[in-house]
Amino acid sequence: MSSDQKFKYQGTVLQVAIPSPLRSLFDYLPPDLPIDSATDKPSKASSPESAAVDESEDRIKPGVRVRVSFGNRKLVGIVVKVEKGSTLSRNKLKPVISVLDKKPIFTPSLFRLLLWASSYYQHSLGEVFSNAIPARLRQGRQTRAEEEIWEVNPNADEISLLAVQRAPRQKALLTLLKKNKSTGIEECKAAGFTTQLLAELHKKKLVIRKTRFQSAAEPFPALAPASKTGIKLNKEQKKALAEVKENLDGFACSLLDGVTGSGKTEVYMQTMEQQLAKAKQCLVLVPEIGLTPQTVSRFQKRFACPIAVLHSGLNESERLEAWNSARDGSAGIIIGTRSAIFTPMANPGLIIVDEEHDSSFKQQDGFRYSARDLAVMRAREEKVHVILGSATPSLESLHNARSKKFHHLKLSKRAADASPAAMEILDITDEHLQEGFSEPLLYRIQKHLKQGNQVLVFINRRGFAPVLNCQNCGWICECEHCLTRFTVHANPASIRCHHCGTIKSLPRNCEHCKSPDLNTIGIGTQRIESYLNTQFPDTEVLRIDRDSTRAKLSLQKMLDQINLGEPCILLGTQMLAKGHHFPNITLVAIVDADSGLFSADFRGQEHMAQTIVQVAGRSGRASRAGEVLIQSRHAGHQTLQSISSESYEEFAVQQLEERRLSGMPPFSHLCLLRAESADIREAVKGLQKIGNSCEKLIALNGYPVELQGPLPAPMEKRAGRFRFQILLRSKNRRALGALMTELCTKIDSMKLSHKLRLAIDIDPQDLI
Ligand code: ADP
Ligand code: ZN
Ligand code: ZN
C-alpha cells in the first residue's frame, strides 16, 4: 500500500452524476440518517417505492436519485455506481443528504442507453439524466403523487378519548378512522367530514397524519385483434408488414421508405397491433404533435388501450403521470416528440420514428442528441424492432438501408385511389413577377379555385420581407447582435431578428445617411398574404406560419376551416410540410425554390428536396389529381430536375454519390466544436487552445481524423456572441469518438475563460 493510499477511504462510496456541465462523477457516502428528503420531513408512512423506509446500503442501486449538497447548493443527482473505496480521503467525503427512490427510476436498458449517450455525445451524464426525466423528478419530487391519510393514534390519551364521546361528529369521524385503519383525506371528505374536524382531533393527539403514495397502475391487458378495419393492404404494404413481422422478436431496424399517402401509417398500425396483442408497449416518435393532431387521433380511434401522449402542452403533473403510465406499463402506446425517446417502458415491444428525416429529432442546444439515432440504439438495448418511416428518408438512413444494415421496405404508390401529383417547373427567368408571382402561376391558382378546389402556396420565409435597405446609400438594416439582416414584419410594423428574437419598431430613416427612402426587398408570408387578398378578394387566404399560429388553438381553427373543404388558399412555411392531410388541395405552388438551391450547407440540397417533396405530398391525396408548380430561375438545376422528373430516391442516390466523392456524411463522421463569446479574442484564443491540444492528440495517437479550423462560423455572430468553430472529420467513427473522449478530458482540465461557451456537436445537422 503506497503512503497516500492510506488516506483514501475504503468503505462504500456512491458515485453520483450531478446535473452540471462537469463531466465527472462525484463520490458521496451513503446517508447518515433515514430522512425522506422529498419533503425533508422525518421518515414516514409506507410507500411503494419512495421515501426512506430502508436506508441500508444495499438498497442503494445505480439509477436511484439522491439529494446531495454540491458546493453551497443542494442538488438532485443519480447514483451511477456503488463502489468500495474512493480516491478521496474520508474527511473529503460527504454523505448524501437522502436517498429519494427505493427502486431505480430508469429501466436497466434505458439506464444503459443514457450512459452510452453521455459518452457518445460527450455530454455530462448528470445533464443527460436531467434531460431524460420529468421536471418534478429533477426537483426531487416523488415519482408518485402523494396523498394525505389519517389514522387513529394507537397511543391516544384516555381522557381525550372520553372527552370526544360528548362531541358526536368527532366521535363519528374517529369511528370511521378506526374502522378503515387508514383513510385518505378525500375519503373523509366524501363521508361528510371537514378538515376542521380532523384538525381538532389532531390537536387532541387522537389521530395521526401520514402520507402515502399512489400505487403503480396495472399493465394494460393484451389487446384483442381489432375488428375489421375495412382496409385491405396492397401488395407492397403486405410485403413490408411481412418482413417486419418476421423480425419482430429481438432487435432489427427497418426503413419504411414510402411516398406520401402510401399507407405507412397503416403499416405502423398493423405492426403495433401485433405487439399490443402480446401486451407489449409501442413507442411512437413524431416531429411535432401540435402540428399533426390527426396522427394521435388515428391511433386513438384504432386502439382501445390507454395512450400516453407526451407533448409540450402538458403541465408538469400531467407529464409525470404520462411518464408513470409508460413506466408501469399501463399505457400501451406512448406518442411523443424528440425527448419521448427517454420514456421508460415496462414491456417494450416496438419503436417507430415517423418522418425520420425531420430535423426536429435533433436537439440543437445543450445535450445535442439525435432522437432518431438514439431510437435505433434504444431498440438494440431493448431488443425490439424499430421502424424509421419517411417519404423522404435522410441520406444516413437511406445509406444504411442500401448497405443492408436496415431492412429496406418500399411503398412506391399511393395507397388509396389517389394518383401522385404531377410536378412541373415554371421557368421564371423572363417573367415579370408581382410580389413573387408569375402570370402563369396566378392563372393556375385562379383555375383551381374556380374548379372549387383548394390551393397551397408555399414560401419558406415568414414575415413581410427579408431585407430593408436604403435606396439612397444602399445601407441594409442589420441586427447588431447577430450581424444578420432584420426581417420586416407587418402588424405591427416592425423589424425582427429571427436569430436572437430582437424586435424594434420600423425605422423611418436610414441609420447611415438619414434618408427616408427606405425600401423592402424580397417576400415573406405576410407580404404574400396581403397580395393574395387583393388578387383574390373573394377567396379566403389562411396564413400558417410561426407568427400566425402562436395563439393557442389558432392552428386547429385554421385546419378545421380547411377541412370544411371550401375553396381557399392555404399559405405557409414548412409547418405545412409536416404530415397533414388536405384532401381538397389540388395545386401546390412553390413560390421560390431558388433560395434553397445554393445553400452553403452540405445538407442544403437534401433539405430542400425533402421540403419540396413533402409539400408536394400534401396535394391530391383524395380522388382529385394534384399538380405541383415550382417557380425557379434555375429550372435546369439538377436537384429540381431530378425531383420533378424522377423520384426522391433517384435524387437521393445522386446526392449519396456526391457525398461519397466529397467524403461527407454518411461516408464520414463529423464533430463540430463551437466556441462563443461576447469577446471575440476570448473565442479565438479558447478555440485555438483546444485546436492545438486536438492536433497533438491526433499526431500522438495517429488518429485518422482531419481537423479544420478554428474558423469563423458561417454565422459569425449570434445574440451578441462571436462564434468560431473547429470541424473534425473521420471515416472511422470509433477513432473520432476516442479522440473526443481524450480531448474532453483535456478541455475539462484547461482553464478556459468563464466568458467562453463551448458546444460539442457530434453528428451535427448543419454547420452554421
Ligand atoms: P402515409 O402514412 O404513408 O402518408 P397513410 O397510412 O396515412 O399514408 O395512408 C394514406 C391514406 O390511405 C389514408 O387515408 C389511409 O387510410 C389510406 N390507406 C392506407 N392503406 C390503404 C389500403 N391498403 N387501401 C386503401 N386505403 C389505404
Ligand atoms: Zn442611406
Ligand atoms: Zn439578432
Side-chain angles (χ1 to χ4, degrees), residues 526 529 542-551 554-555 558 571 575:
Q526 294 175 338
E529 181 185 23
L542 297 159
R543 173 166 65 89
I544 295 190
D545 59 25
R546 214 143 37 96
D547 302 307
S548 73
T549 53
R550 208 152 287 174
S554 56
L555 175 66
M558 286 194 271
L571 156 70
M575 279 178 89

Side-chain angles (χ1 to χ4, degrees), residues 479-484 486 496-502 715 717-720:
C479 169
E480 71 266 29
H481 307 298
C482 303
L483 303 180
T484 54
F486 267 120
R496 299 174 188 221
C497 174
H498 288 182
H499 299 284
C500 69
T502 301
M715 199 176 163
K717 194 180 177 191
R718 186 175 199 163

Side-chain angles (χ1 to χ4, degrees), residues 144-393:
R144 305 276 160 202
E146 274 183 57
E147 187 189 22
E148 186 178 316
I149 52 166
W150 294 87
E151 287 176 11
V152 173
N153 183 356
N155 307 316
D157 170 35
E158 290 292 327
I159 300 170
S160 308
L161 270 175
L162 274 175
V164 168
Q165 299 303 318
R166 291 189 301 275
R169 291 301 291 157
Q170 291 187 17
K171 188 179 154 195
L173 176 54
L174 208 57
T175 315
L176 175 81
L177 297 188
K178 244 185 217 151
K179 195 178 96 205
N180 286 0
K181 281 211 152 146
S182 55
T183 314
I185 179 92
E186 291 308 323
E187 247 175 289
C188 294
K189 283 188 198 159
F193 299 102
T194 59
T195 45
Q196 174 71 25
L197 269 166
L198 279 165
E200 279 163 22
L201 290 178
H202 194 221
K203 222 163 82 193
K204 294 177 187 157
K205 298 205 167 70
L206 293 175
V207 296
I208 42 183
R209 185 172 68 179
K210 289 184 173 176
T211 42
R212 82 178 158 203
F213 296 91
Q214 285 169 359
S215 47
E218 291 290 313
F220 79 99
L223 216 60
S227 49
K228 289 272 174 299
T229 54
I231 287 183
K232 204 166 153 280
L233 294 189
N234 62 34
K235 226 167 146 186
E236 285 181 319
Q237 284 173 312
K238 271 191 196 147
K239 190 163 167 252
L241 183 67
E243 190 162 345
V244 174
K245 268 167 124 178
E246 230 171 76
N247 299 287
L248 259 185
D249 301 317
F251 168 69
C253 182
S254 292
L255 174 65
L256 183 56
D257 178 358
V259 300
T260 35
S262 59
K264 293 184 292 295
T265 312
E266 194 52 45
V267 174
Y268 300 153
M269 292 200 292
Q270 300 213 9
T271 312
M272 289 162 72
E273 207 169 73
Q274 298 288 320
Q275 297 303 69
L276 293 169
K278 293 181 229 158
K280 289 196 173 172
Q281 296 169 286
C282 304
L283 173 64
V284 184
L285 299 188
V286 293
E288 244 164 307
I289 287 177
L291 291 183
T292 51
Q294 301 105 312
T295 314
V296 176
S297 66
R298 266 176 97 178
F299 290 134
Q300 281 163 340
K301 277 189 202 131
R302 181 75 158 257
F303 298 110
C305 61
I307 300 183
V309 185
L310 290 148
H311 58 85
S312 57
L314 296 183
N315 66 33
E316 285 310 326
S317 78
E318 290 167 331
R319 186 172 302 280
L320 183 58
E321 202 179 300
W323 186 88
N324 270 325
S325 67
R327 181 172 176 251
D328 295 342
S330 65
I333 300 171
I334 299 107
I335 305 179
T337 44
R338 183 172 64 223
S339 63
I341 189 57
F342 302 121
T343 316
M345 285 186 281
N347 305 304
L350 179 68
I351 302 176
I352 290 167
V353 183
D354 190 26
E355 309 292 357
E356 68 87 34
H357 65 280
D358 198 282
S359 54
S360 74
F361 288 122
K362 175 79 201 271
Q363 176 141 310
Q364 300 280 24
D365 53 20
F367 170 34
R368 293 170 166 80
Y369 63 90
S370 153
R372 183 242 293 150
D373 295 349
L374 283 180
V376 177
M377 220 36 216
R378 174 128 190 223
R380 190 185 296 271
E381 289 293 349
E382 306 278 14
K383 302 188 176 56
V384 301
H385 199 114
V386 55
I387 304 177
L388 310 180
S390 177
T392 53

Side-chain angles (χ1 to χ4, degrees), residues 470 473 510 513:
C470 168
C473 75
C510 168
C513 71

Side-chain angles (χ1 to χ4, degrees), residues 470-475 510-515 518:
C470 168
Q471 296 207 291
N472 186 41
C473 75
W475 167 80
C510 168
E511 255 177 41
H512 197 68
C513 71
K514 305 292 175 243
S515 156
L518 297 185

Side-chain angles (χ1 to χ4, degrees), residues 503-517:
I503 301 177
K504 292 182 180 180
S505 56
L506 193 68
R508 289 170 189 277
N509 300 87
C510 168
E511 255 177 41
H512 197 68
C513 71
K514 305 292 175 243
S515 156
D517 247 352

